[in-house]
Amino acid sequence: MNIGIKGEYTFTVTKDMLASKAGSGTVDVFSTPVMIAEIEGTAMRSVMPYLEEGKATVGTHIDVRHSDATPEGMKVFIHTELIEISENGKFLTFKVEARDECGVIGNGIHERAVITIKRFMEKVNAKKN
């Protein structure tokens, strides 16, 4: 895996993605939680082909400003770029941006950790005991 890997995802804002439906507000505009989920998903998918079998990534930090509102029916374009890999290769930092058809609606930084799925799930499931 190398710095510079890019992720791209385009979708149209649907009624279920509105703040009034997603539970994050009362206004009929694209919700911040959905924008964050789409950013995380785009970053995750961009590096999946570079992971060893049995590995995955999980989101650990996000610092994103949602700076402009988007109405239902408008296209949103998510762009991610891997800008840093920790020395041990376990932590990935992405520059992220969301745009609609009129311009930038959000941008910031997103971090993900590379995990071994089996070990990670054993640790998670141990919390139930």
Side-chain angles (χ1 to χ4, degrees):
M1 185 176 321
N2 294 310
I3 290 173
I5 295 170
K6 293 185 173 144
E8 306 283 334
Y9 182 57
T10 301
F11 58 92
T12 300
V13 176
T14 64
K15 189 173 290 305
D16 290 343
M17 296 175 169
L18 301 178
S20 59
K21 301 293 181 196
S24 65
T26 59
V27 182
D28 289 337
V29 294
F30 184 48
S31 78
T32 302
V34 174
M35 182 181 77
I36 297 299
E38 298 296 358
I39 286 170
E40 287 201 62
T42 303
M44 180 260 317
R45 288 187 299 274
S46 74
V47 295
M48 279 178 55
Y50 304 96
L51 298 174
E52 297 172 20
E53 188 172 330
K55 301 273 187 176
T57 63
V58 294
T60 58
H61 181 83
I62 192 148
D63 184 2
V64 172
R65 179 177 305 278
H66 193 171
S67 56
D68 202 3
T70 303
E72 180 181 0
M74 188 171 271
K75 285 186 179 174
V76 171
F77 311 90
I78 304 292
H79 307 279
T80 65
E81 182 179 354
L82 182 60
I83 60 169
E84 184 179 335
I85 302 171
S86 67
E87 212 170 284
N88 64 8
K90 292 184 180 184
F91 299 98
L92 311 175
T93 303
F94 297 84
K95 177 174 71 172
V96 299
E97 181 180 79
R99 301 177 76 84
D100 65 19
E101 297 168 61
C102 296
V104 175
I105 62 167
N107 61 350
I109 297 293
H110 173 46
E111 297 171 358
R112 300 189 70 75
V114 177
I115 53 111
T116 301
I117 298 167
K118 185 176 189 279
R119 187 173 18 180
F120 182 83
M121 291 310 299
E122 286 170 352
K123 186 177 175 182
V124 170
N125 288 327
K127 288 182 161 187
K128 294 190 259 183
N129 299 330

